[in-house]
Amino acid sequence: MKRKALLISLLLWSMIVAAQTDPIIMTIAGQPVSRSEFEYSYNKNNGKEAIDPKTVEEYAELFINYKLKVRAALDARLDTLSSFKNEFTVYRNQQVKPLLITDADVEAEARKIYEQRRAQIGDKGLIHPAHIFIRVPQNAPKEALDRAKQRIDSIYAALRGGADFATLAEKYSEDPMSARQGGALPWFAPGETLEDFEKTAYRLKTGETAPPMLSFAGYHIIRMLDRKQMEPFDELKADIIRALKTRNIREKIADERLKEMAETSKTGKTEAQIMDEKAAELSEKEQSLKYLIAEYHDGLLLYEISNRMIWEKAAQDEAALTAYFKKHKKTYQWDSPRYKGIAYYVKEASDVKKVKQCLRGKAFEEWPEVLRKAFNTDNTLRIRVEKGLFKQGDNALIDREVFHKDTTVVQQKDCPVAGVYGKLLKAPKEMSDVRGLVTADYQDYLEAEWVQALRRKYPVVIHQDVLATVNKH
C-alpha cells in the first residue's frame, strides 16, 4: 500500500514539475498548447531570415488561426484520407529512420565493406600502373594489326633508348584520359581491369616497364608506378563513412533492421507497426523531432483544407469572382492604359480585313482558336498572333500602332503584313481583365470569413502570463 502511494506521489510530482517547466500557453478548440510547442513554431518562423518578423503577440493570432484550420481539417476527417496517410508516413519515416541507427552501426557497415574489399585484394595488393596505348579494333585486318604493332614497337624502342615515358604517353597514347596524366591510370585491385592487362601488370615491380602486350582493346606498354597493400581500417574509415553517407546508408541499414525485427517478431508485428512504435518512442525523447513531425502532419492537413475552402473554391467560382469584381470595381485601377487585343502578322494585306471579320462579335478568350481555324487549316502558317492585355513596352508592334511610339518592329519573313486588333482601356472593364488580382483578393476575403467562422465555432483561451514568458525563461 505504501509502495502504491509513493508511486502516485511521484507521478503527481512529475506532473507538477512538467507544468512548471513547460506550462500551457493557450487552449484552442479544447486542445492545450504547451509553451515549448509555441516557441518552436515562433522561433522557426521569426528567425534572422524572416521576411516579415512578428512580435509574440502578433504571431499568437496567426498561430491560433493555423491551429483552428487544422482542427477544421480533423473534424472533416481529412486525416483519414489514404493520400494524406501515405504522404505523411513517407515524410515521417524519412525523419525517423536515420535515428534508429547509431554511429557504431555505420562504422560496423564501413568495416564490413572494408573487409570485403580486403578479401577481394588479398595478398596481391593494389597496383598503380601507367600505359601507352595504341588502339586496335576487334576483328581488325592483319594489315591494321601490323601497323599498330610497328607503332608500339617503335615507341618501346624509344623508351629503351632513354625517352621519357610520360612525354611519349602524352604524345602518342590513344587513351586520352590517361595520356593527359602522362599515361597514369587509377589504382587497381585484382579483377578491376582487363584480364591480360592485369596479368602483365601484376608481374611488374615498381619502376619496371613491360614489353608491348596485346589485349582485346589494343597494344599496351605498361609501367608500374607504385604498389601497396591495403591501408589499415582506421586510415580509411573516414573516407568509407563519407562515401556511405552519400548513399543514405542510415536509411538502408534501418530498412534492413526493420525487416529483421518484423521477421523475428513473436507477436507478428509488421514493419509499418514497428515503425509507428519507434516513431512514437523517439518523438517522446526528442522534442524537436516531435514538433517537426507534428508540423508536417498539420501542414498537410492545412494545405488540403485550405485548397477546399479557399483556393480551389475561388479559382472555380466564376460567378462569385465576377460579383466580387463588380462590388469592388473601383479598387482595380491601372497606372496607365492597357490595350486588350492582339498583335498579328499575316501573309497578305487582304488578310487584315479578314482578321477583323473573323473576330467581330467574338469573345476575347475565343480569338486565338477562331483565327487558327480561319487561317491555318491547310498545314500552312498564314498568321502569327500574340494575344494579351498590353501596357506600353510589352510589345513593339502595339507600342507603334496603339501608343504611337517610335519603335522597331521585327519583320516576319513568312508573314510580312503586321496589324493589331482590339481596344484601348483606361481601366478594367471585366473581371477577366484583372483576374489574377481579383482571385487573390477573393481568396483573402474567403479566408477572413472562414477564420471568423472558426473563431465563433471553437473556443480559444490565451494565458497572457505564460505568453509573456516566451523566450524569457
Side-chain angles (χ1 to χ4, degrees):
M1 194 69 177
K2 290 182 179 180
R3 178 182 176 85
K4 184 176 181 181
L6 178 60
L7 289 173
I8 293 173
S9 177
L10 289 173
L11 178 61
L12 290 172
W13 175 251
S14 65
M15 293 172 64
I16 293 170
V17 171
Q20 291 175 340
T21 57
D22 192 13
I24 301 303
I25 196 168
M26 60 183 70
T27 303
I28 303 172
Q31 293 297 315
V33 177
S34 66
R35 180 174 62 190
S36 62
E37 179 183 355
F38 179 83
E39 284 180 336
Y40 170 86
S41 181
Y42 175 77
N43 293 332
K44 186 171 183 178
N45 292 286
N46 286 272
K48 293 180 180 179
E49 298 180 359
I51 297 174
D52 183 21
K54 304 293 183 183
T55 65
V56 171
E57 291 74 17
E58 290 171 337
Y59 189 76
E61 295 302 311
L62 298 176
F63 183 83
I64 291 167
N65 293 344
Y66 165 74
K67 285 291 188 179
L68 288 174
K69 293 172 186 177
V70 172
R71 176 57 186 266
L74 291 170
D75 287 351
R77 296 180 58 79
L78 298 185
D79 59 328
T80 65
L81 297 175
S82 58
S83 58
F84 167 82
K85 289 181 179 179
N86 292 338
E87 186 172 356
F88 171 68
T89 299
V90 168
Y91 175 82
R92 183 204 65 185
N93 291 355
Q94 287 175 343
Q95 308 308 310
V96 173
K97 278 184 180 180
L99 302 178
L100 300 177
I101 307 305
T102 65
D103 290 343
D105 294 321
V106 176
E107 183 172 330
E109 186 68 17
R111 183 174 287 280
K112 177 182 174 183
I113 291 173
Y114 173 84
E115 294 298 340
Q116 290 172 346
R117 176 71 168 167
R118 190 170 71 167
Q120 175 194 356
I121 294 171
D123 296 334
K124 297 179 72 173
L126 297 162
I127 56 171
H128 186 204
H131 75 156
I132 298 173
F133 175 64
I134 300 299
R135 189 178 307 280
V136 179
Q138 291 188 38
N139 302 318
K142 185 177 183 302
E143 294 80 6
L145 193 63
D146 289 343
R147 285 196 299 271
K149 182 69 166 62
Q150 290 173 3
R151 289 190 64 195
I152 202 74
D153 284 344
S154 65
I155 295 171
Y156 185 64
L159 288 172
R160 289 174 64 88
D164 180 65
F165 186 96
T167 301
L168 293 180
E170 290 175 8
K171 188 174 183 180
Y172 297 112
S173 180
E174 295 178 355
D175 175 7
M177 291 188 65
S178 67
R180 288 194 290 268
Q181 308 298 323
L185 293 162
W187 282 91
F188 289 126
E192 291 183 345
T193 186
L194 302 176
E195 184 177 357
D196 293 335
F197 184 100
E198 180 179 309
K199 286 180 180 179
T200 301
Y202 266 98
R203 287 197 293 264
L204 298 175
K205 296 178 181 178
T206 300
E208 286 185 340
T209 302
M213 54 82 54
L214 180 65
S215 74
F216 76 83
Y219 280 104
H220 311 259
I221 299 173
I222 305 173
R223 169 165 289 187
M224 186 54 57
L225 300 177
D226 200 2
R227 303 185 65 137
K228 66 179 180 180
Q229 292 298 318
M230 193 169 177
E231 295 87 348
F233 173 70
D234 287 342
E235 291 184 24
L236 300 177
K237 180 174 71 173
D239 290 336
I240 298 173
I241 290 176
R242 193 178 302 112
L244 287 175
K245 287 181 178 179
T246 65
R247 291 156 46 189
N248 297 322
I249 191 62
R250 284 181 176 269
E251 187 168 348
K252 291 178 181 177
I253 298 174
D255 286 337
E256 292 174 1
R257 185 159 297 175
L258 286 168
K259 185 178 180 180
E260 292 173 3
M261 293 171 69
E263 290 174 348
T264 58
S265 173
K266 295 180 180 180
T267 57
K269 290 179 182 177
T270 65
E271 290 182 45
Q273 290 171 328
I274 296 171
M275 192 67 220
D276 289 342
E277 292 179 357
K278 294 297 181 182
E281 291 174 10
L282 289 169
S283 294
E284 284 300 313
K285 295 177 182 178
E286 297 287 341
Q287 193 177 71
S288 59
L289 175 66
K290 175 184 176 180
Y291 292 148
L292 179 64
I293 293 175
E295 179 183 26
Y296 194 82
H297 175 277
D298 292 352
L300 286 176
L301 291 176
L302 177 64
Y303 177 86
E304 184 62 34
I305 193 72
S306 297
N307 192 45
R308 296 184 180 201
M309 298 297 295
I310 302 172
W311 306 326
E312 197 173 84
K313 185 176 180 181
Q316 296 179 356
D317 196 340
E318 199 76 10
L321 288 172
T322 301
Y324 187 87
F325 170 74
K326 289 180 179 178
K327 185 176 180 180
H328 303 87
K329 191 173 182 179
K330 291 183 179 180
T331 64
Y332 299 104
Q333 301 294 323
W334 293 321
D335 55 0
S336 61
R338 303 289 193 272
Y339 185 73
K340 185 178 182 179
I342 58 170
Y344 65 89
Y345 302 86
V346 289
K347 284 187 171 297
E348 301 174 6
S350 60
D351 288 334
V352 173
K353 184 177 181 180
K354 187 176 180 180
V355 169
K356 295 178 181 179
Q357 290 173 340
C358 289
L359 299 182
R360 191 173 293 121
K362 299 292 193 300
F364 183 62
E365 291 73 19
E366 300 174 2
W367 288 8
E369 183 64 14
V370 169
L371 292 174
R372 186 189 66 79
K373 290 181 177 179
F375 285 86
N376 299 334
T377 57
D378 56 357
N379 295 324
T380 301
L381 184 68
R382 293 179 55 215
I383 188 170
R384 295 181 181 274
V385 178
E386 183 180 351
K387 167 179 166 286
L389 197 63
F390 302 94
K391 65 179 183 296
Q392 185 177 319
D394 286 346
N395 182 281
L397 180 57
I398 289 174
D399 283 351
R400 186 184 73 186
E401 299 297 321
V402 177
F403 296 111
H404 309 296
K405 298 297 179 181
D406 185 14
T407 59
T408 301
V409 178
V410 178
Q411 187 77 15
Q412 304 289 325
K413 291 183 179 180
D414 53 348
C415 296
V417 181
V420 299
Y421 183 82
K423 55 186 176 181
L424 188 65
L425 304 178
K426 293 183 178 180
K429 298 295 183 184
E430 301 173 356
M431 184 274 292
S432 59
D433 296 339
V434 281
R435 174 182 290 276
L437 293 173
V438 174
T439 301
D441 290 346
Y442 186 56
Q443 287 174 344
D444 290 343
Y445 166 77
L446 288 177
E447 182 174 17
E449 290 288 303
W450 183 34
V451 168
Q452 288 181 14
L454 293 174
R455 291 266 187 165
R456 291 192 296 269
K457 181 178 180 180
Y458 299 110
V460 175
V461 178
I462 304 176
H463 301 292
Q464 296 293 344
D465 56 331
V466 180
L467 189 68
T469 66
V470 169
N471 292 335
K472 298 177 181 177
H473 55 90

